[in-house]
Amino acid sequence: MERSVELRRVGLSLPVVIASTAPVKETAQAVVQAKIAELEREVASRQAAITFLRHTAECRHRYLDDCPDCAAFAREP
């Protein structure tokens, strides 16, 4: 039971928690690995946002379109 609580605390939904406790170890590991990959993508996205915001806070250009770095970030999907 405690493992389920810990898994919920790190952001796994109830269906994912249930899947991560599957009797087949490889199935459970695949579910957890997928969540790790998702969290790593979120971290990378937030780090890119922080980098962009730090740059804009110190950017010498008045408008984002005037700065090649800001403009490039704004065009990224």
Side-chain angles (χ1 to χ4, degrees), residues 53-70:
L53 291 172
R54 283 189 176 140
H55 174 80
T56 59
E58 300 170 1
C59 187
R60 64 182 175 82
H61 295 95
R62 173 67 180 102
Y63 300 103
L64 296 179
D65 289 343
D66 294 340
C67 175
D69 293 329
C70 292

Side-chain angles (χ1 to χ4, degrees), residues 2-75:
E2 187 165 323
R3 181 169 186 249
S4 297
V5 172
E6 291 298 320
L7 292 171
R8 291 284 292 146
R9 189 179 311 179
V10 297
L12 273 66
S13 66
L14 188 55
V16 173
V17 168
I18 292 167
S20 71
T21 58
V24 178
K25 184 176 182 178
E26 290 78 16
T27 302
Q29 288 174 327
V31 169
V32 173
Q33 290 294 338
K35 184 61 178 183
I36 290 169
E38 177 188 335
L39 291 171
E40 287 174 338
R41 285 188 300 273
E42 286 179 30
V43 168
S45 175
R46 290 182 185 270
Q47 187 58 52
I50 289 168
T51 299
F52 171 72
L53 291 172
R54 283 189 176 140
H55 174 80
T56 59
E58 300 170 1
C59 187
R60 64 182 175 82
H61 295 95
R62 173 67 180 102
Y63 300 103
L64 296 179
D65 289 343
D66 294 340
C67 175
D69 293 329
C70 292
F73 184 86
R75 283 191 295 270

